[in-house]
mmCIF file of all heavy atoms in Angstrom:
data_model
loop_
_atom_site.group_PDB
_atom_site.id
_atom_site.type_symbol
_atom_site.label_atom_id
_atom_site.label_comp_id
_atom_site.label_asym_id
_atom_site.label_seq_id
_atom_site.Cartn_x
_atom_site.Cartn_y
_atom_site.Cartn_z
ATOM 1 N N PHE A 191 193.804 232.858 166.923
ATOM 2 C CA PHE A 191 193.810 233.768 168.053
ATOM 3 C C PHE A 191 192.369 233.998 168.477
ATOM 4 O O PHE A 191 191.529 234.396 167.680
ATOM 5 C CB PHE A 191 194.469 235.097 167.682
ATOM 6 C CG PHE A 191 194.557 236.051 168.839
ATOM 7 C CD1 PHE A 191 195.553 235.894 169.797
ATOM 8 C CD2 PHE A 191 193.633 237.070 168.985
ATOM 9 C CE1 PHE A 191 195.635 236.759 170.883
ATOM 10 C CE2 PHE A 191 193.702 237.938 170.068
ATOM 11 C CZ PHE A 191 194.710 237.778 171.010
ATOM 12 N N CYS A 192 192.066 233.729 169.747
ATOM 13 C CA CYS A 192 190.727 233.967 170.275
ATOM 14 C C CYS A 192 190.664 235.397 170.807
ATOM 15 O O CYS A 192 191.387 235.745 171.751
ATOM 16 C CB CYS A 192 190.394 232.966 171.383
ATOM 17 S SG CYS A 192 188.801 233.308 172.166
ATOM 18 N N GLU A 193 189.800 236.192 170.200
ATOM 19 C CA GLU A 193 189.662 237.589 170.594
ATOM 20 C C GLU A 193 189.094 237.726 172.001
ATOM 21 O O GLU A 193 189.357 238.706 172.695
ATOM 22 C CB GLU A 193 188.753 238.341 169.611
ATOM 23 C CG GLU A 193 189.238 238.358 168.187
ATOM 24 C CD GLU A 193 188.781 237.149 167.367
ATOM 25 O OE1 GLU A 193 188.110 236.240 167.923
ATOM 26 O OE2 GLU A 193 189.100 237.089 166.178
ATOM 27 N N LEU A 194 188.299 236.741 172.427
ATOM 28 C CA LEU A 194 187.676 236.812 173.748
ATOM 29 C C LEU A 194 188.620 236.359 174.852
ATOM 30 O O LEU A 194 188.647 236.950 175.930
ATOM 31 C CB LEU A 194 186.389 235.982 173.759
ATOM 32 C CG LEU A 194 185.345 236.436 172.729
ATOM 33 C CD1 LEU A 194 184.202 235.439 172.665
ATOM 34 C CD2 LEU A 194 184.838 237.823 173.049
ATOM 35 N N CYS A 195 189.399 235.295 174.601
ATOM 36 C CA CYS A 195 190.402 234.833 175.575
ATOM 37 C C CYS A 195 191.651 235.710 175.536
ATOM 38 O O CYS A 195 192.422 235.737 176.476
ATOM 39 C CB CYS A 195 190.859 233.409 175.245
ATOM 40 S SG CYS A 195 189.665 232.114 175.454
ATOM 41 N N ARG A 196 191.832 236.362 174.407
ATOM 42 C CA ARG A 196 193.038 237.149 174.137
ATOM 43 C C ARG A 196 194.288 236.272 174.184
ATOM 44 O O ARG A 196 195.300 236.631 174.768
ATOM 45 C CB ARG A 196 193.167 238.313 175.092
ATOM 46 C CG ARG A 196 192.002 239.283 175.025
ATOM 47 C CD ARG A 196 192.445 240.699 175.258
ATOM 48 N NE ARG A 196 191.388 241.660 175.401
ATOM 49 C CZ ARG A 196 190.539 242.041 174.457
ATOM 50 N NH1 ARG A 196 190.588 241.490 173.297
ATOM 51 N NH2 ARG A 196 189.637 242.961 174.681
ATOM 52 N N LYS A 197 194.175 235.085 173.545
ATOM 53 C CA LYS A 197 195.340 234.202 173.473
ATOM 54 C C LYS A 197 195.238 233.284 172.252
ATOM 55 O O LYS A 197 194.167 233.109 171.677
ATOM 56 C CB LYS A 197 195.500 233.385 174.745
ATOM 57 C CG LYS A 197 194.392 232.399 175.022
ATOM 58 C CD LYS A 197 194.648 231.674 176.332
ATOM 59 C CE LYS A 197 193.526 230.684 176.615
ATOM 60 N NZ LYS A 197 193.718 229.997 177.879
ATOM 61 N N GLU A 198 196.370 232.722 171.903
ATOM 62 C CA GLU A 198 196.459 231.771 170.801
ATOM 63 C C GLU A 198 195.871 230.433 171.258
ATOM 64 O O GLU A 198 196.192 229.941 172.336
ATOM 65 C CB GLU A 198 197.932 231.589 170.400
ATOM 66 C CG GLU A 198 198.143 230.823 169.138
ATOM 67 C CD GLU A 198 197.865 231.632 167.878
ATOM 68 O OE1 GLU A 198 197.914 232.879 167.921
ATOM 69 O OE2 GLU A 198 197.596 231.006 166.856
ATOM 70 N N ILE A 199 195.002 229.858 170.442
ATOM 71 C CA ILE A 199 194.362 228.583 170.748
ATOM 72 C C ILE A 199 194.881 227.537 169.766
ATOM 73 O O ILE A 199 194.969 227.796 168.564
ATOM 74 C CB ILE A 199 192.824 228.678 170.637
ATOM 75 C CG1 ILE A 199 192.272 229.770 171.553
ATOM 76 C CG2 ILE A 199 192.164 227.327 170.887
ATOM 77 C CD1 ILE A 199 192.515 229.556 173.024
ATOM 78 N N THR A 200 195.222 226.374 170.281
ATOM 79 C CA THR A 200 195.659 225.254 169.460
ATOM 80 C C THR A 200 194.698 224.103 169.696
ATOM 81 O O THR A 200 194.454 223.731 170.847
ATOM 82 C CB THR A 200 197.093 224.826 169.846
ATOM 83 O OG1 THR A 200 197.957 225.947 169.694
ATOM 84 C CG2 THR A 200 197.583 223.691 168.979
ATOM 85 N N MET A 201 194.126 223.559 168.617
ATOM 86 C CA MET A 201 193.154 222.488 168.747
ATOM 87 C C MET A 201 193.498 221.360 167.782
ATOM 88 O O MET A 201 193.517 221.565 166.569
ATOM 89 C CB MET A 201 191.749 223.011 168.456
ATOM 90 C CG MET A 201 190.648 221.985 168.688
ATOM 91 S SD MET A 201 189.004 222.663 168.352
ATOM 92 C CE MET A 201 188.814 223.807 169.711
ATOM 93 N N PRO A 202 193.783 220.160 168.314
ATOM 94 C CA PRO A 202 194.102 219.037 167.443
ATOM 95 C C PRO A 202 192.853 218.499 166.737
ATOM 96 O O PRO A 202 191.761 218.531 167.287
ATOM 97 C CB PRO A 202 194.677 217.992 168.401
ATOM 98 C CG PRO A 202 194.091 218.322 169.720
ATOM 99 C CD PRO A 202 193.868 219.799 169.729
ATOM 100 N N VAL A 203 193.043 218.026 165.510
ATOM 101 C CA VAL A 203 191.989 217.377 164.734
ATOM 102 C C VAL A 203 192.454 215.939 164.497
ATOM 103 O O VAL A 203 193.556 215.720 164.003
ATOM 104 C CB VAL A 203 191.756 218.102 163.388
ATOM 105 C CG1 VAL A 203 190.703 217.385 162.562
ATOM 106 C CG2 VAL A 203 191.365 219.555 163.626
ATOM 107 N N TYR A 204 191.605 214.984 164.866
ATOM 108 C CA TYR A 204 191.985 213.581 164.787
ATOM 109 C C TYR A 204 191.382 212.908 163.562
ATOM 110 O O TYR A 204 190.296 213.258 163.110
ATOM 111 C CB TYR A 204 191.526 212.829 166.046
ATOM 112 C CG TYR A 204 192.303 213.230 167.264
ATOM 113 C CD1 TYR A 204 191.936 214.330 168.028
ATOM 114 C CD2 TYR A 204 193.429 212.519 167.644
ATOM 115 C CE1 TYR A 204 192.657 214.709 169.147
ATOM 116 C CE2 TYR A 204 194.164 212.887 168.762
ATOM 117 C CZ TYR A 204 193.768 213.976 169.507
ATOM 118 O OH TYR A 204 194.495 214.347 170.598
ATOM 119 N N GLY A 205 192.074 211.906 163.038
ATOM 120 C CA GLY A 205 191.604 211.100 161.924
ATOM 121 C C GLY A 205 192.421 209.831 161.847
ATOM 122 O O GLY A 205 193.346 209.619 162.637
ATOM 123 N N ASP A 206 192.092 208.994 160.883
ATOM 124 C CA ASP A 206 192.818 207.725 160.799
ATOM 125 C C ASP A 206 193.974 207.759 159.811
ATOM 126 O O ASP A 206 194.780 206.843 159.761
ATOM 127 C CB ASP A 206 191.883 206.560 160.495
ATOM 128 C CG ASP A 206 191.003 206.790 159.290
ATOM 129 O OD1 ASP A 206 191.183 207.816 158.607
ATOM 130 O OD2 ASP A 206 190.135 205.952 159.039
ATOM 131 N N THR A 207 194.052 208.819 159.011
ATOM 132 C CA THR A 207 195.205 208.967 158.109
ATOM 133 C C THR A 207 195.591 210.436 158.044
ATOM 134 O O THR A 207 194.756 211.321 158.208
ATOM 135 C CB THR A 207 194.887 208.492 156.671
ATOM 136 O OG1 THR A 207 193.767 209.232 156.181
ATOM 137 C CG2 THR A 207 194.558 207.009 156.616
ATOM 138 N N ILE A 208 196.848 210.683 157.807
ATOM 139 C CA ILE A 208 197.328 212.058 157.665
ATOM 140 C C ILE A 208 196.742 212.637 156.382
ATOM 141 O O ILE A 208 196.808 212.014 155.322
ATOM 142 C CB ILE A 208 198.872 212.105 157.619
ATOM 143 C CG1 ILE A 208 199.461 211.547 158.911
ATOM 144 C CG2 ILE A 208 199.375 213.518 157.346
ATOM 145 C CD1 ILE A 208 199.167 212.362 160.145
ATOM 146 N N LEU A 209 196.160 213.794 156.499
ATOM 147 C CA LEU A 209 195.532 214.452 155.351
ATOM 148 C C LEU A 209 196.392 215.599 154.862
ATOM 149 O O LEU A 209 197.097 216.231 155.635
ATOM 150 C CB LEU A 209 194.160 214.999 155.748
ATOM 151 C CG LEU A 209 193.149 213.993 156.274
ATOM 152 C CD1 LEU A 209 191.907 214.710 156.760
ATOM 153 C CD2 LEU A 209 192.795 212.983 155.206
ATOM 154 N N SER A 210 196.274 215.861 153.615
ATOM 155 C CA SER A 210 196.920 217.034 153.044
ATOM 156 C C SER A 210 195.799 218.005 152.676
ATOM 157 O O SER A 210 195.115 217.837 151.676
ATOM 158 C CB SER A 210 197.724 216.632 151.803
ATOM 159 O OG SER A 210 198.319 217.774 151.245
ATOM 160 N N PHE A 211 195.584 218.973 153.551
ATOM 161 C CA PHE A 211 194.499 219.932 153.340
ATOM 162 C C PHE A 211 194.866 220.951 152.276
ATOM 163 O O PHE A 211 195.999 221.423 152.218
ATOM 164 C CB PHE A 211 194.199 220.694 154.627
ATOM 165 C CG PHE A 211 193.459 219.914 155.676
ATOM 166 C CD1 PHE A 211 193.471 220.343 156.983
ATOM 167 C CD2 PHE A 211 192.745 218.777 155.379
ATOM 168 C CE1 PHE A 211 192.787 219.663 157.980
ATOM 169 C CE2 PHE A 211 192.055 218.082 156.353
ATOM 170 C CZ PHE A 211 192.078 218.526 157.659
ATOM 171 N N THR A 212 193.872 221.327 151.468
ATOM 172 C CA THR A 212 194.045 222.473 150.590
ATOM 173 C C THR A 212 193.933 223.707 151.478
ATOM 174 O O THR A 212 193.460 223.625 152.619
ATOM 175 C CB THR A 212 192.956 222.522 149.498
ATOM 176 O OG1 THR A 212 191.686 222.727 150.136
ATOM 177 C CG2 THR A 212 192.927 221.244 148.659
ATOM 178 N N SER A 213 194.330 224.855 150.983
ATOM 179 C CA SER A 213 194.249 226.074 151.804
ATOM 180 C C SER A 213 192.791 226.385 152.154
ATOM 181 O O SER A 213 192.504 226.876 153.249
ATOM 182 C CB SER A 213 194.917 227.251 151.102
ATOM 183 O OG SER A 213 194.321 227.492 149.865
ATOM 184 N N GLU A 214 191.858 226.073 151.269
ATOM 185 C CA GLU A 214 190.438 226.301 151.537
ATOM 186 C C GLU A 214 189.945 225.366 152.655
ATOM 187 O O GLU A 214 189.224 225.791 153.559
ATOM 188 C CB GLU A 214 189.616 226.057 150.263
ATOM 189 C CG GLU A 214 188.163 226.449 150.397
ATOM 190 C CD GLU A 214 187.431 226.294 149.077
ATOM 191 O OE1 GLU A 214 187.752 227.055 148.141
ATOM 192 O OE2 GLU A 214 186.555 225.422 149.004
ATOM 193 N N GLU A 215 190.354 224.102 152.617
ATOM 194 C CA GLU A 215 189.972 223.148 153.661
ATOM 195 C C GLU A 215 190.605 223.523 154.995
ATOM 196 O O GLU A 215 189.991 223.359 156.048
ATOM 197 C CB GLU A 215 190.398 221.727 153.264
ATOM 198 C CG GLU A 215 189.618 221.162 152.104
ATOM 199 C CD GLU A 215 190.218 219.868 151.572
ATOM 200 O OE1 GLU A 215 191.462 219.710 151.606
ATOM 201 O OE2 GLU A 215 189.437 219.030 151.103
ATOM 202 N N GLU A 216 191.810 224.033 154.949
ATOM 203 C CA GLU A 216 192.498 224.459 156.157
ATOM 204 C C GLU A 216 191.733 225.609 156.825
ATOM 205 O O GLU A 216 191.525 225.603 158.040
ATOM 206 C CB GLU A 216 193.921 224.894 155.811
ATOM 207 C CG GLU A 216 194.834 225.006 156.985
ATOM 208 C CD GLU A 216 196.279 225.217 156.564
ATOM 209 O OE1 GLU A 216 196.804 224.386 155.810
ATOM 210 O OE2 GLU A 216 196.839 226.233 156.994
ATOM 211 N N LEU A 217 191.293 226.574 156.024
ATOM 212 C CA LEU A 217 190.514 227.694 156.563
ATOM 213 C C LEU A 217 189.191 227.208 157.155
ATOM 214 O O LEU A 217 188.761 227.677 158.208
ATOM 215 C CB LEU A 217 190.259 228.738 155.475
ATOM 216 C CG LEU A 217 191.473 229.536 155.020
ATOM 217 C CD1 LEU A 217 191.114 230.433 153.846
ATOM 218 C CD2 LEU A 217 192.054 230.349 156.163
ATOM 219 N N GLU A 218 188.553 226.253 156.487
ATOM 220 C CA GLU A 218 187.295 225.698 156.994
ATOM 221 C C GLU A 218 187.528 224.965 158.321
ATOM 222 O O GLU A 218 186.746 225.092 159.255
ATOM 223 C CB GLU A 218 186.684 224.742 155.973
ATOM 224 C CG GLU A 218 185.350 224.193 156.412
ATOM 225 C CD GLU A 218 184.700 223.290 155.382
ATOM 226 O OE1 GLU A 218 185.190 223.206 154.241
ATOM 227 O OE2 GLU A 218 183.694 222.653 155.737
ATOM 228 N N CYS A 219 188.621 224.224 158.412
ATOM 229 C CA CYS A 219 188.959 223.511 159.640
ATOM 230 C C CYS A 219 189.193 224.497 160.788
ATOM 231 O O CYS A 219 188.704 224.291 161.904
ATOM 232 C CB CYS A 219 190.196 222.641 159.410
ATOM 233 S SG CYS A 219 190.598 221.598 160.821
ATOM 234 N N ILE A 220 189.905 225.570 160.518
ATOM 235 C CA ILE A 220 190.153 226.584 161.545
ATOM 236 C C ILE A 220 188.844 227.237 161.976
ATOM 237 O O ILE A 220 188.625 227.484 163.159
ATOM 238 C CB ILE A 220 191.182 227.623 161.052
ATOM 239 C CG1 ILE A 220 192.560 226.960 160.943
ATOM 240 C CG2 ILE A 220 191.232 228.838 161.972
ATOM 241 C CD1 ILE A 220 193.601 227.778 160.243
ATOM 242 N N ASP A 221 187.935 227.471 161.026
ATOM 243 C CA ASP A 221 186.617 228.027 161.370
ATOM 244 C C ASP A 221 185.854 227.089 162.307
ATOM 245 O O ASP A 221 185.208 227.537 163.255
ATOM 246 C CB ASP A 221 185.784 228.287 160.118
ATOM 247 C CG ASP A 221 186.178 229.559 159.403
ATOM 248 O OD1 ASP A 221 186.903 230.393 159.992
ATOM 249 O OD2 ASP A 221 185.775 229.728 158.239
ATOM 250 N N TRP A 222 185.915 225.787 162.037
ATOM 251 C CA TRP A 222 185.243 224.814 162.903
ATOM 252 C C TRP A 222 185.895 224.783 164.284
ATOM 253 O O TRP A 222 185.203 224.702 165.301
ATOM 254 C CB TRP A 222 185.245 223.419 162.273
ATOM 255 C CG TRP A 222 184.157 223.256 161.266
ATOM 256 C CD1 TRP A 222 184.282 223.208 159.903
ATOM 257 C CD2 TRP A 222 182.751 223.157 161.534
ATOM 258 N NE1 TRP A 222 183.051 223.076 159.318
ATOM 259 C CE2 TRP A 222 182.094 223.043 160.291
ATOM 260 C CE3 TRP A 222 181.994 223.152 162.693
ATOM 261 C CZ2 TRP A 222 180.711 222.918 160.190
ATOM 262 C CZ3 TRP A 222 180.607 223.034 162.587
ATOM 263 C CH2 TRP A 222 179.987 222.910 161.350
ATOM 264 N N CYS A 223 187.220 224.834 164.324
ATOM 265 C CA CYS A 223 187.925 224.871 165.615
ATOM 266 C C CYS A 223 187.490 226.094 166.414
ATOM 267 O O CYS A 223 187.190 225.997 167.612
ATOM 268 C CB CYS A 223 189.441 224.903 165.405
ATOM 269 S SG CYS A 223 190.144 223.378 164.764
ATOM 270 N N ARG A 224 187.431 227.247 165.762
ATOM 271 C CA ARG A 224 187.014 228.493 166.413
ATOM 272 C C ARG A 224 185.568 228.366 166.911
ATOM 273 O O ARG A 224 185.249 228.760 168.031
ATOM 274 C CB ARG A 224 187.159 229.654 165.428
ATOM 275 C CG ARG A 224 186.810 231.001 166.027
ATOM 276 C CD ARG A 224 186.988 232.135 165.025
ATOM 277 N NE ARG A 224 188.396 232.471 164.928
ATOM 278 C CZ ARG A 224 189.144 232.332 163.835
ATOM 279 N NH1 ARG A 224 188.612 231.862 162.730
ATOM 280 N NH2 ARG A 224 190.404 232.672 163.837
ATOM 281 N N HIS A 225 184.713 227.797 166.080
ATOM 282 C CA HIS A 225 183.301 227.626 166.433
ATOM 283 C C HIS A 225 183.146 226.766 167.690
ATOM 284 O O HIS A 225 182.440 227.144 168.630
ATOM 285 C CB HIS A 225 182.556 226.996 165.254
ATOM 286 C CG HIS A 225 181.160 226.585 165.555
ATOM 287 N ND1 HIS A 225 180.133 227.497 165.687
ATOM 288 C CD2 HIS A 225 180.618 225.369 165.778
ATOM 289 C CE1 HIS A 225 179.010 226.847 165.971
ATOM 290 N NE2 HIS A 225 179.278 225.555 166.029
ATOM 291 N N PHE A 226 183.811 225.606 167.719
ATOM 292 C CA PHE A 226 183.669 224.722 168.871
ATOM 293 C C PHE A 226 184.344 225.278 170.116
ATOM 294 O O PHE A 226 183.873 225.056 171.232
ATOM 295 C CB PHE A 226 184.156 223.311 168.539
ATOM 296 C CG PHE A 226 183.200 222.585 167.625
ATOM 297 C CD1 PHE A 226 183.584 222.230 166.356
ATOM 298 C CD2 PHE A 226 181.908 222.307 168.030
ATOM 299 C CE1 PHE A 226 182.696 221.586 165.502
ATOM 300 C CE2 PHE A 226 181.013 221.670 167.188
ATOM 301 C CZ PHE A 226 181.411 221.297 165.915
ATOM 302 N N HIS A 227 185.403 226.033 169.951
ATOM 303 C CA HIS A 227 186.024 226.714 171.098
ATOM 304 C C HIS A 227 185.034 227.715 171.686
ATOM 305 O O HIS A 227 184.845 227.785 172.899
ATOM 306 C CB HIS A 227 187.313 227.428 170.656
ATOM 307 C CG HIS A 227 187.896 228.290 171.728
ATOM 308 N ND1 HIS A 227 188.650 227.787 172.759
ATOM 309 C CD2 HIS A 227 187.805 229.636 171.939
ATOM 310 C CE1 HIS A 227 189.007 228.777 173.562
ATOM 311 N NE2 HIS A 227 188.505 229.903 173.084
ATOM 312 N N TRP A 228 184.365 228.475 170.815
ATOM 313 C CA TRP A 228 183.379 229.456 171.277
ATOM 314 C C TRP A 228 182.251 228.753 172.030
ATOM 315 O O TRP A 228 181.845 229.195 173.108
ATOM 316 C CB TRP A 228 182.827 230.258 170.100
ATOM 317 C CG TRP A 228 181.761 231.217 170.518
ATOM 318 C CD1 TRP A 228 181.937 232.440 171.103
ATOM 319 C CD2 TRP A 228 180.343 231.017 170.436
ATOM 320 N NE1 TRP A 228 180.714 233.013 171.379
ATOM 321 C CE2 TRP A 228 179.723 232.162 170.973
ATOM 322 C CE3 TRP A 228 179.543 229.997 169.945
ATOM 323 C CZ2 TRP A 228 178.346 232.294 171.031
ATOM 324 C CZ3 TRP A 228 178.172 230.135 170.014
ATOM 325 C CH2 TRP A 228 177.590 231.273 170.555
ATOM 326 N N ILE A 229 181.760 227.636 171.497
ATOM 327 C CA ILE A 229 180.678 226.903 172.158
ATOM 328 C C ILE A 229 181.109 226.456 173.552
ATOM 329 O O ILE A 229 180.381 226.612 174.521
ATOM 330 C CB ILE A 229 180.239 225.686 171.311
ATOM 331 C CG1 ILE A 229 179.428 226.161 170.100
ATOM 332 C CG2 ILE A 229 179.416 224.694 172.144
ATOM 333 C CD1 ILE A 229 179.094 225.057 169.116
ATOM 334 N N ASP A 230 182.293 225.894 173.651
ATOM 335 C CA ASP A 230 182.757 225.346 174.927
ATOM 336 C C ASP A 230 183.136 226.408 175.957
ATOM 337 O O ASP A 230 182.958 226.205 177.152
ATOM 338 C CB ASP A 230 183.971 224.433 174.724
ATOM 339 C CG ASP A 230 183.593 223.089 174.135
ATOM 340 O OD1 ASP A 230 182.397 222.770 174.082
ATOM 341 O OD2 ASP A 230 184.503 222.360 173.721
ATOM 342 N N PHE A 231 183.660 227.542 175.508
ATOM 343 C CA PHE A 231 184.222 228.511 176.453
ATOM 344 C C PHE A 231 183.545 229.880 176.479
ATOM 345 O O PHE A 231 183.779 230.654 177.406
ATOM 346 C CB PHE A 231 185.720 228.707 176.173
ATOM 347 C CG PHE A 231 186.524 227.471 176.402
ATOM 348 C CD1 PHE A 231 186.876 226.663 175.338
ATOM 349 C CD2 PHE A 231 186.899 227.091 177.686
ATOM 350 C CE1 PHE A 231 187.605 225.497 175.539
ATOM 351 C CE2 PHE A 231 187.632 225.940 177.893
ATOM 352 C CZ PHE A 231 187.987 225.132 176.818
ATOM 353 N N HIS A 232 182.737 230.211 175.477
ATOM 354 C CA HIS A 232 182.218 231.581 175.400
ATOM 355 C C HIS A 232 180.725 231.698 175.108
ATOM 356 O O HIS A 232 180.221 232.816 175.027
ATOM 357 C CB HIS A 232 182.978 232.382 174.338
ATOM 358 C CG HIS A 232 184.449 232.411 174.565
ATOM 359 N ND1 HIS A 232 185.032 233.033 175.650
ATOM 360 C CD2 HIS A 232 185.472 231.868 173.853
ATOM 361 C CE1 HIS A 232 186.344 232.889 175.598
ATOM 362 N NE2 HIS A 232 186.634 232.173 174.523
ATOM 363 N N ARG A 233 180.010 230.596 174.923
ATOM 364 C CA ARG A 233 178.580 230.690 174.615
ATOM 365 C C ARG A 233 177.827 231.014 175.901
ATOM 366 O O ARG A 233 177.470 230.144 176.679
ATOM 367 C CB ARG A 233 178.071 229.387 173.987
ATOM 368 C CG ARG A 233 176.614 229.473 173.568
ATOM 369 C CD ARG A 233 176.160 228.263 172.827
ATOM 370 N NE ARG A 233 176.275 227.082 173.675
ATOM 371 C CZ ARG A 233 176.054 225.859 173.238
ATOM 372 N NH1 ARG A 233 175.733 225.646 171.993
ATOM 373 N NH2 ARG A 233 176.165 224.832 174.062
ATOM 374 N N ALA A 234 177.629 232.284 176.121
ATOM 375 C CA ALA A 234 177.037 232.768 177.376
ATOM 376 C C ALA A 234 175.573 233.135 177.185
ATOM 377 O O ALA A 234 175.129 233.458 176.087
ATOM 378 C CB ALA A 234 177.817 233.983 177.876
ATOM 379 N N CYS A 235 174.857 233.120 178.284
ATOM 380 C CA CYS A 235 173.453 233.527 178.310
ATOM 381 C C CYS A 235 173.370 235.046 178.135
ATOM 382 O O CYS A 235 174.114 235.788 178.783
ATOM 383 C CB CYS A 235 172.837 233.108 179.639
ATOM 384 S SG CYS A 235 171.140 233.684 179.905
#
């Protein structure tokens, strides 16, 4: 959930094989998704 957009964000992650993420890796992936969403849509002057 993006607090700034006030909506649920879904971001696909691509790779060459299906991965089985641990819960820790899943949280890290979501953090990266949130980070890049912020850069693209909310990094303001």
Side-chain angles (χ1 to χ4, degrees):
F191 183 79
C192 175
E193 300 88 357
L194 301 171
C195 292
R196 300 215 188 293
K197 65 181 180 182
E198 190 77 23
I199 303 298
T200 302
M201 185 179 290
V203 177
Y204 290 86
D206 52 6
T207 57
I208 299 294
L209 301 174
S210 179
F211 285 161
T212 65
S213 59
E214 188 175 293
E215 291 170 327
E216 195 171 303
L217 290 174
E218 183 177 351
C219 186
I220 291 169
D221 281 346
W222 279 107
C223 290
R224 183 179 281 116
H225 171 75
F226 287 115
H227 172 80
W228 177 80
I229 286 173
D230 285 348
F231 296 98
H232 304 294
R233 184 174 61 186
C235 174

